[in-house]
Coordinates of all heavy atoms in Angstrom, one line a residue:
M30 N -10.9 -83.6 46.0 CA -9.5 -83.5 46.3 C -8.7 -83.6 45.0 O -7.8 -82.9 44.8 CB -9.1 -84.6 47.3 CG -7.6 -84.6 47.6 SD -6.9 -83.0 48.2 CE -7.7 -82.8 49.7
L31 N -9.1 -84.5 44.1 CA -8.4 -84.7 42.9 C -8.4 -83.4 42.0 O -7.4 -83.0 41.5 CB -8.9 -85.9 42.1 CG -8.7 -87.2 42.7 CD1 -9.4 -88.3 41.9 CD2 -7.2 -87.6 42.9
E32 N -9.6 -82.8 42.0 CA -9.7 -81.5 41.3 C -8.8 -80.4 41.9 O -8.1 -79.7 41.2 CB -11.1 -81.0 41.3 CG -11.3 -79.8 40.4 CD -12.8 -79.5 40.2 OE1 -13.6 -80.4 40.0 OE2 -13.1 -78.3 40.2
E33 N -8.7 -80.4 43.2 CA -7.9 -79.4 43.9 C -6.4 -79.7 43.5 O -5.6 -78.7 43.3 CB -8.1 -79.4 45.4 CG -7.3 -78.4 46.1 CD -7.6 -78.3 47.6 OE1 -8.7 -78.5 48.0 OE2 -6.6 -78.0 48.3
L34 N -6.0 -80.9 43.6 CA -4.6 -81.3 43.3 C -4.3 -80.9 41.8 O -3.2 -80.4 41.5 CB -4.4 -82.8 43.5 CG -4.4 -83.2 45.0 CD1 -4.4 -84.7 45.1 CD2 -3.2 -82.6 45.7
R35 N -5.2 -81.2 40.9 CA -5.1 -80.8 39.5 C -4.9 -79.3 39.4 O -4.0 -78.9 38.6 CB -6.3 -81.3 38.7 CG -6.1 -81.1 37.2 CD -7.4 -81.5 36.4 NE -7.6 -83.0 36.6 CZ -8.7 -83.5 37.2 NH1 -9.6 -82.7 37.8 NH2 -8.9 -84.8 37.3
D36 N -5.7 -78.6 40.1 CA -5.6 -77.1 40.0 C -4.2 -76.6 40.6 O -3.8 -75.6 40.1 CB -6.7 -76.5 40.8 CG -8.1 -76.6 40.2 OD1 -8.1 -77.0 39.0 OD2 -9.1 -76.4 40.9
R37 N -3.6 -77.4 41.4 CA -2.3 -77.0 42.0 C -1.2 -77.5 41.1 O 0.0 -77.3 41.4 CB -2.1 -77.6 43.4 CG -3.1 -77.0 44.4 CD -2.8 -77.7 45.7 NE -3.7 -77.2 46.8 CZ -3.5 -77.4 48.1 NH1 -2.5 -78.1 48.5 NH2 -4.3 -76.9 48.9
G38 N -1.5 -78.1 40.0 CA -0.5 -78.6 39.1 C 0.0 -80.0 39.2 O 1.0 -80.4 38.6
V39 N -0.6 -80.7 40.2 CA -0.2 -82.1 40.4 C -0.7 -82.9 39.1 O -1.8 -82.8 38.7 CB -0.8 -82.7 41.7 CG1 -0.5 -84.2 41.8 CG2 -0.3 -81.9 42.9
T40 N 0.2 -83.8 38.6 CA -0.1 -84.5 37.4 C -0.3 -86.0 37.7 O -0.8 -86.7 36.8 CB 0.9 -84.3 36.3 OG1 2.2 -84.8 36.8 CG2 1.0 -82.9 35.9
R41 N 0.1 -86.5 38.9 CA -0.1 -87.9 39.2 C -0.3 -88.1 40.7 O 0.4 -87.5 41.5 CB 1.2 -88.7 38.8 CG 1.1 -90.2 39.0 CD 2.3 -90.8 38.3 NE 2.3 -92.3 38.6 CZ 3.2 -92.9 39.4 NH1 4.2 -92.2 40.0 NH2 3.1 -94.2 39.5
V42 N -1.3 -88.9 41.0 CA -1.6 -89.2 42.4 C -1.4 -90.7 42.6 O -1.8 -91.5 41.8 CB -3.0 -88.8 42.8 CG1 -3.3 -89.1 44.2 CG2 -3.2 -87.3 42.5
V43 N -0.7 -91.1 43.7 CA -0.5 -92.5 44.1 C -1.1 -92.8 45.4 O -0.9 -92.0 46.4 CB 1.1 -92.8 44.1 CG1 1.3 -94.2 44.6 CG2 1.7 -92.5 42.8
V44 N -1.8 -93.9 45.6 CA -2.4 -94.3 46.8 C -2.0 -95.8 47.0 O -1.7 -96.5 46.1 CB -3.9 -94.1 46.9 CG1 -4.3 -92.7 46.8 CG2 -4.6 -95.0 45.8
G45 N -2.0 -96.2 48.3 CA -1.8 -97.6 48.6 C -2.8 -98.0 49.6 O -3.1 -97.3 50.5
T46 N -3.2 -99.3 49.5 CA -4.1 -99.9 50.5 C -3.8 -101.4 50.5 O -3.2 -102.0 49.6 CB -5.6 -99.6 50.2 OG1 -6.4 -100.0 51.3 CG2 -6.0 -100.3 48.9
S47 N -4.3 -102.0 51.6 CA -4.1 -103.5 51.7 C -4.9 -104.2 50.6 O -6.0 -103.8 50.3 CB -4.6 -103.9 53.1 OG -4.7 -105.3 53.2
S48 N -4.4 -105.3 50.2 CA -5.1 -106.2 49.2 C -6.4 -106.8 49.8 O -7.2 -107.2 49.1 CB -4.2 -107.3 48.7 OG -3.7 -108.1 49.8
S49 N -6.4 -106.8 51.2 CA -7.6 -107.3 51.8 C -8.7 -106.2 52.0 O -9.9 -106.6 52.3 CB -7.3 -107.8 53.2 OG -6.7 -106.7 54.0
G50 N -8.4 -105.0 51.6 CA -9.4 -103.9 51.7 C -10.3 -103.8 50.5 O -10.2 -102.9 49.7
V51 N -11.2 -104.8 50.4 CA -12.1 -104.9 49.3 C -12.8 -103.6 49.0 O -12.9 -103.1 47.9 CB -13.0 -106.1 49.4 CG1 -14.0 -106.2 48.2 CG2 -12.2 -107.4 49.6
G52 N -13.4 -103.0 50.0 CA -14.1 -101.7 49.9 C -13.3 -100.6 49.4 O -13.7 -99.8 48.5
Q53 N -12.1 -100.5 50.0 CA -11.1 -99.5 49.6 C -10.7 -99.6 48.1 O -10.6 -98.7 47.4 CB -9.9 -99.4 50.5 CG -10.1 -99.2 51.9 CD -10.3 -100.4 52.7 OE1 -11.2 -101.2 52.5 NE2 -9.5 -100.6 53.7
L54 N -10.4 -100.9 47.7 CA -10.0 -101.1 46.3 C -11.1 -100.7 45.4 O -10.9 -100.1 44.3 CB -9.7 -102.6 46.1 CG -8.4 -103.1 46.8 CD1 -8.3 -104.6 46.8 CD2 -7.2 -102.4 46.2
A55 N -12.4 -101.0 45.7 CA -13.5 -100.6 44.8 C -13.6 -99.1 44.8 O -13.8 -98.5 43.7 CB -14.8 -101.3 45.3
Y56 N -13.5 -98.5 45.9 CA -13.6 -97.0 46.0 C -12.6 -96.3 45.1 O -13.0 -95.4 44.3 CB -13.4 -96.6 47.5 CG -13.4 -95.1 47.7 CD1 -14.6 -94.3 47.8 CD2 -12.2 -94.4 47.7 CE1 -14.5 -93.0 47.9 CE2 -12.1 -93.0 47.9 CZ -13.3 -92.3 48.0 OH -13.3 -90.9 48.1
Y57 N -11.4 -96.7 45.2 CA -10.3 -96.0 44.5 C -10.5 -96.3 43.0 O -10.3 -95.4 42.1 CB -8.9 -96.5 44.9 CG -8.5 -95.9 46.2 CD1 -8.2 -96.7 47.3 CD2 -8.5 -94.5 46.4 CE1 -7.8 -96.1 48.5 CE2 -8.1 -93.9 47.6 CZ -7.8 -94.7 48.7 OH -7.4 -94.1 49.8
Q58 N -10.9 -97.5 42.6 CA -11.1 -97.8 41.2 C -12.3 -97.0 40.6 O -12.2 -96.5 39.5 CB -11.3 -99.3 40.9 CG -10.0 -100.0 41.2 CD -10.1 -101.5 41.0 OE1 -10.1 -102.0 39.8 NE2 -10.3 -102.2 42.1
K59 N -13.3 -96.8 41.4 CA -14.5 -96.0 41.0 C -14.1 -94.6 40.8 O -14.6 -93.8 40.0 CB -15.6 -96.1 41.9 CG -16.3 -97.5 41.9 CD -17.4 -97.5 43.0 CE -18.0 -98.9 43.0 NZ -19.0 -99.0 44.1
A60 N -13.1 -94.1 41.6 CA -12.6 -92.7 41.5 C -11.6 -92.6 40.3 O -11.0 -91.5 40.2 CB -11.9 -92.3 42.8
G61 N -11.3 -93.6 39.6 CA -10.4 -93.5 38.4 C -9.0 -94.0 38.6 O -8.2 -93.9 37.7
F62 N -8.7 -94.6 39.8 CA -7.3 -95.1 40.0 C -7.2 -96.4 39.4 O -8.1 -97.2 39.2 CB -7.0 -95.2 41.5 CG -6.8 -93.9 42.2 CD1 -7.8 -93.1 42.7 CD2 -5.5 -93.4 42.4 CE1 -7.6 -91.9 43.3 CE2 -5.3 -92.2 43.0 CZ -6.3 -91.4 43.4
R63 N -6.0 -96.7 38.9 CA -5.6 -98.0 38.3 C -4.5 -98.7 39.1 O -3.7 -98.1 39.6 CB -5.2 -97.8 36.9 CG -6.3 -97.1 36.1 CD -6.2 -97.2 34.6 NE -6.0 -98.5 34.2 CZ -5.5 -98.8 33.0 NH1 -5.0 -97.9 32.2 NH2 -5.3 -100.1 32.6
L64 N -4.6 -100.0 39.1 CA -3.6 -100.8 39.8 C -2.3 -100.6 39.1 O -2.2 -100.7 37.9 CB -4.0 -102.3 39.8 CG -5.3 -102.7 40.4 CD1 -5.6 -104.1 40.2 CD2 -5.4 -102.3 41.8
S65 N -1.2 -100.4 39.9 CA 0.1 -100.2 39.3 C 1.1 -101.3 39.8 O 1.9 -101.7 39.0 CB 0.7 -98.8 39.6 OG 0.8 -98.6 41.0
R66 N 1.0 -101.7 41.0 CA 1.9 -102.8 41.5 C 1.4 -103.3 42.8 O 0.6 -102.7 43.5 CB 3.3 -102.3 41.6 CG 3.6 -101.3 42.6 CD 5.1 -100.8 42.5 NE 5.3 -99.8 43.5 CZ 5.9 -99.9 44.7 NH1 6.3 -101.1 45.1 NH2 6.1 -98.9 45.5
I67 N 1.9 -104.5 43.2 CA 1.7 -105.1 44.5 C 3.0 -105.3 45.2 O 3.9 -105.8 44.6 CB 0.9 -106.5 44.3 CG1 -0.4 -106.2 43.7 CG2 0.8 -107.2 45.7 CD1 -1.2 -107.5 43.3
E68 N 3.0 -104.9 46.4 CA 4.2 -105.1 47.2 C 3.9 -106.2 48.2 O 3.2 -106.0 49.2 CB 4.6 -103.8 48.0 CG 5.9 -103.8 48.6 CD 6.4 -102.4 49.1 OE1 5.8 -101.4 48.6 OE2 7.3 -102.4 49.9
R69 N 4.4 -107.4 48.0 CA 4.1 -108.5 48.8 C 4.7 -108.4 50.2 O 5.8 -107.9 50.4 CB 4.7 -109.8 48.1 CG 4.0 -110.1 46.8 CD 4.6 -111.2 46.0 NE 4.4 -112.5 46.8 CZ 3.5 -113.4 46.5 NH1 2.8 -113.2 45.5 NH2 3.5 -114.5 47.2
D70 N 3.9 -109.0 51.1 CA 4.3 -109.0 52.6 C 4.7 -107.6 53.1 O 5.5 -107.5 54.0 CB 5.5 -110.0 52.7 CG 5.2 -111.4 52.3 OD1 4.1 -111.8 52.6 OD2 6.0 -112.0 51.6
F71 N 4.0 -106.6 52.7 CA 4.2 -105.3 53.2 C 3.8 -105.1 54.7 O 4.5 -104.5 55.5 CB 3.4 -104.3 52.3 CG 3.6 -102.8 52.7 CD1 4.6 -102.1 52.1 CD2 2.8 -102.2 53.7 CE1 4.7 -100.7 52.5 CE2 2.9 -100.9 54.1 CZ 3.9 -100.2 53.5
F72 N 2.6 -105.7 55.0 CA 2.1 -105.6 56.4 C 2.7 -106.6 57.3 O 1.9 -107.5 57.8 CB 0.6 -105.6 56.3 CG 0.0 -104.5 55.5 CD1 -0.4 -104.6 54.2 CD2 -0.2 -103.2 56.1 CE1 -0.9 -103.6 53.4 CE2 -0.7 -102.2 55.4 CZ -1.0 -102.3 54.0
S73 N 3.9 -106.6 57.5 CA 4.6 -107.6 58.3 C 5.0 -107.1 59.7 O 5.0 -105.9 59.9 CB 5.9 -108.0 57.6 OG 6.8 -107.0 57.6
P74 N 5.2 -108.0 60.7 CA 5.7 -107.6 62.0 C 7.0 -106.7 61.9 O 7.2 -105.8 62.8 CB 5.9 -108.9 62.7 CG 4.9 -109.8 62.1 CD 5.0 -109.4 60.6
D75 N 7.8 -107.0 60.9 CA 9.0 -106.2 60.8 C 8.7 -104.7 60.6 O 9.6 -103.9 60.9 CB 9.9 -106.7 59.6 CG 10.4 -108.1 59.9 OD1 10.5 -108.5 61.0 OD2 10.8 -108.7 58.9
R76 N 7.6 -104.4 60.0 CA 7.2 -103.0 59.8 C 6.2 -102.5 60.9 O 5.7 -101.4 60.8 CB 6.5 -102.9 58.5 CG 7.4 -103.1 57.3 CD 6.7 -102.8 56.0 NE 7.7 -102.9 54.9 CZ 7.7 -102.1 53.9 NH1 6.8 -101.2 53.7 NH2 8.6 -102.3 52.9
G77 N 6.1 -103.3 61.9 CA 5.3 -102.8 63.1 C 3.8 -103.3 63.0 O 3.0 -102.9 63.9
Y78 N 3.4 -104.1 62.1 CA 2.1 -104.6 62.0 C 2.0 -105.9 62.8 O 2.9 -106.7 62.8 CB 1.6 -104.9 60.6 CG 1.5 -103.6 59.8 CD1 2.6 -103.1 59.0 CD2 0.4 -102.8 59.8 CE1 2.6 -102.0 58.3 CE2 0.4 -101.6 59.1 CZ 1.4 -101.2 58.4 OH 1.4 -100.0 57.7
P79 N 0.8 -106.1 63.5 CA 0.7 -107.3 64.3 C 0.6 -108.6 63.5 O 0.1 -108.6 62.4 CB -0.6 -107.1 65.1 CG -1.3 -106.1 64.4 CD -0.3 -105.3 63.6
E80 N 1.2 -109.7 64.0 CA 1.1 -111.0 63.4 C -0.4 -111.4 63.3 O -1.1 -111.2 64.2 CB 1.9 -112.0 64.2 CG 2.0 -113.4 63.6 CD 3.0 -113.4 62.5 OE1 4.0 -112.8 62.6 OE2 2.7 -114.1 61.5
G81 N -0.8 -112.0 62.2 CA -2.1 -112.5 62.0 C -3.2 -111.5 61.8 O -4.4 -111.8 61.9
L82 N -2.8 -110.2 61.4 CA -3.8 -109.2 61.1 C -4.7 -109.6 60.0 O -4.3 -110.1 59.0 CB -3.0 -107.9 60.7 CG -3.8 -106.6 60.6 CD1 -4.5 -106.2 61.9 CD2 -2.9 -105.5 60.1
R83 N -6.0 -109.3 60.2 CA -7.0 -109.7 59.2 C -8.0 -108.6 59.1 O -8.2 -107.8 60.0 CB -7.8 -111.0 59.7 CG -6.9 -112.2 59.9 CD -7.6 -113.4 60.4 NE -8.3 -114.2 59.3 CZ -7.6 -115.0 58.5 NH1 -6.3 -115.0 58.5 NH2 -8.2 -115.7 57.6
E84 N -8.6 -108.5 57.9 CA -9.6 -107.5 57.6 C -10.7 -108.2 56.8 O -10.5 -108.9 55.8 CB -9.1 -106.4 56.7 CG -10.0 -105.3 56.4 CD -9.4 -104.2 55.6 OE1 -8.3 -104.3 55.1 OE2 -10.0 -103.1 55.6
A85 N -11.9 -108.2 57.4 CA -13.1 -108.9 56.8 C -12.8 -110.4 56.7 O -13.2 -111.0 55.7 CB -13.5 -108.3 55.5
G86 N -12.0 -111.0 57.6 CA -11.6 -112.4 57.5 C -10.5 -112.7 56.5 O -10.1 -113.9 56.3
I87 N -9.9 -111.7 55.9 CA -8.9 -111.9 54.9 C -7.5 -111.4 55.5 O -7.4 -110.4 56.1 CB -9.1 -111.0 53.6 CG1 -10.5 -111.4 53.0 CG2 -8.0 -111.2 52.6 CD1 -10.9 -110.4 51.9
P88 N -6.5 -112.3 55.4 CA -5.2 -111.9 56.0 C -4.7 -110.6 55.3 O -4.8 -110.4 54.1 CB -4.3 -113.0 55.6 CG -5.2 -114.2 55.3 CD -6.4 -113.6 54.8
V89 N -4.2 -109.7 56.1 CA -3.6 -108.4 55.7 C -2.2 -108.7 55.4 O -1.4 -108.8 56.4 CB -3.9 -107.3 56.7 CG1 -3.2 -106.0 56.2 CG2 -5.4 -107.1 56.9
R90 N -1.8 -108.8 54.2 CA -0.4 -109.1 53.9 C 0.2 -108.1 52.9 O 1.3 -107.5 53.1 CB -0.3 -110.5 53.3 CG -0.5 -111.6 54.3 CD -0.2 -112.9 53.8 NE -1.1 -113.3 52.8 CZ -1.7 -114.5 52.7 NH1 -1.5 -115.4 53.6 NH2 -2.6 -114.8 51.8
D91 N -0.4 -107.9 51.7 CA 0.2 -107.2 50.6 C -0.4 -105.8 50.4 O -1.6 -105.6 50.6 CB -0.1 -108.0 49.3 CG 0.4 -109.4 49.4 OD1 1.4 -109.7 50.1 OD2 -0.2 -110.3 48.7
M92 N 0.5 -104.9 50.0 CA 0.1 -103.5 49.7 C -0.2 -103.4 48.2 O 0.6 -103.9 47.4 CB 1.2 -102.5 50.1 CG 1.0 -101.1 49.6 SD -0.3 -100.3 50.6 CE 0.6 -99.8 52.0
V93 N -1.4 -102.9 47.9 CA -1.7 -102.6 46.5 C -1.5 -101.2 46.2 O -2.1 -100.3 46.9 CB -3.2 -103.0 46.2 CG1 -3.6 -102.7 44.8 CG2 -3.4 -104.5 46.5
W94 N -0.7 -100.8 45.3 CA -0.4 -99.5 44.9 C -1.2 -99.1 43.7 O -1.3 -99.9 42.7 CB 1.1 -99.2 44.6 CG 1.9 -99.4 45.8 CD1 2.7 -100.4 46.2 CD2 2.1 -98.4 46.9 NE1 3.3 -100.2 47.4 CE2 3.0 -99.0 47.8 CE3 1.6 -97.1 47.1 CZ2 3.3 -98.3 49.0 CZ3 2.0 -96.4 48.2 CH2 2.8 -97.0 49.2
M95 N -1.9 -98.0 43.7 CA -2.7 -97.5 42.6 C -2.3 -96.1 42.2 O -1.8 -95.4 43.1 CB -4.2 -97.6 43.0 CG -4.6 -99.0 43.5 SD -6.3 -98.9 44.2 CE -7.2 -99.3 42.7
D96 N -2.5 -95.7 41.0 CA -2.2 -94.3 40.6 C -3.3 -93.8 39.6 O -4.1 -94.6 39.1 CB -0.8 -94.2 40.1 CG -0.6 -94.9 38.8 OD1 -1.5 -95.6 38.3 OD2 0.5 -94.8 38.2
Q97 N -3.2 -92.5 39.5 CA -4.1 -91.8 38.5 C -3.4 -90.6 38.0 O -2.8 -89.8 38.7 CB -5.4 -91.4 39.2 CG -6.4 -90.7 38.3 CD -7.7 -90.4 38.9 OE1 -8.3 -89.5 38.4 NE2 -8.1 -91.0 40.0
E98 N -3.4 -90.5 36.7 CA -2.8 -89.4 36.0 C -3.8 -88.3 36.0 O -5.0 -88.6 35.7 CB -2.4 -89.7 34.6 CG -1.3 -90.8 34.5 CD 0.0 -90.4 35.1 OE1 0.4 -89.2 35.0 OE2 0.7 -91.3 35.6
L99 N -3.4 -87.1 36.3 CA -4.4 -85.9 36.3 C -4.1 -85.0 35.1 O -2.9 -84.5 35.0 CB -4.2 -85.1 37.6 CG -4.5 -85.9 38.9 CD1 -4.3 -85.0 40.1 CD2 -5.9 -86.5 38.9
D100 N -5.0 -84.9 34.3 CA -4.9 -84.1 33.1 C -5.2 -82.6 33.4 O -6.3 -82.3 33.7 CB -5.8 -84.6 32.0 CG -5.7 -83.8 30.7 OD1 -4.9 -82.8 30.6 OD2 -6.5 -84.1 29.7
P101 N -4.2 -81.7 33.3 CA -4.4 -80.3 33.7 C -5.4 -79.6 32.7 O -6.0 -78.6 33.1 CB -3.0 -79.7 33.6 CG -2.2 -80.6 32.8 CD -2.8 -82.0 32.9
E102 N -5.6 -80.2 31.6 CA -6.5 -79.6 30.6 C -7.9 -80.2 30.6 O -8.8 -79.8 29.9 CB -5.9 -79.9 29.2 CG -4.5 -79.3 29.0 CD -4.4 -77.8 29.2 OE1 -5.3 -77.1 28.8 OE2 -3.5 -77.4 29.9
A103 N -8.1 -81.1 31.6 CA -9.5 -81.8 31.6 C -10.5 -80.7 32.1 O -10.2 -79.9 32.9 CB -9.4 -82.9 32.6
P104 N -11.7 -80.8 31.5 CA -12.8 -79.9 31.9 C -13.1 -80.1 33.4 O -13.1 -81.2 33.9 CB -13.9 -80.2 31.0 CG -13.6 -81.5 30.4 CD -12.1 -81.7 30.5
R105 N -13.5 -79.0 34.1 CA -13.8 -79.1 35.5 C -15.3 -79.3 35.7 O -16.1 -78.8 35.2 CB -13.4 -77.8 36.3 CG -11.9 -77.4 36.1 CD -11.1 -78.5 36.8 NE -9.7 -78.0 36.9 CZ -8.7 -78.3 36.0 NH1 -9.0 -78.9 34.9 NH2 -7.5 -77.9 36.2

């Protein structure tokens, strides 16, 4: 997907996942994404998420934003 986006002229990709999503965090970092910021208390009832939501026993609270710059000149 990143190669296709690069071919379309996209220069930056941003993704977000829960800080409790250990597998997702590892996946995105292995794909070249870097942590850019944390949005505290993102997964709140005010946004429609259930109270006490947990993933792998970890409270789902904060959104971790990650990004990756795509070099249009990078070899395919």
Side-chain angles (χ1 to χ4, degrees):
M30 179 52 69
L31 294 174
E32 188 171 318
E33 183 176 325
L34 291 170
R35 185 181 299 113
D36 290 344
R37 292 181 181 191
V39 174
T40 58
R41 182 171 178 249
V42 178
V43 177
V44 297
T46 191
S47 168
S48 60
S49 61
V51 177
Q53 298 93 301
L54 290 169
Y56 173 84
Y57 286 123
Q58 289 180 81
K59 288 177 185 177
F62 285 85
R63 299 195 56 200
L64 302 174
S65 61
R66 67 185 175 97
I67 295 173
E68 191 169 344
R69 295 174 65 102
D70 300 317
F71 182 92
F72 296 97
S73 69
D75 292 343
R76 290 186 176 215
Y78 294 95
E80 185 75 40
L82 186 61
R83 299 177 87 71
E84 182 175 16
I87 303 169
V89 176
R90 291 189 288 229
D91 305 330
M92 174 69 84
V93 177
W94 293 101
M95 307 172 86
D96 65 355
Q97 184 176 153
E98 300 294 327
L99 301 179
D100 180 359
E102 304 302 317
R105 307 292 193 267

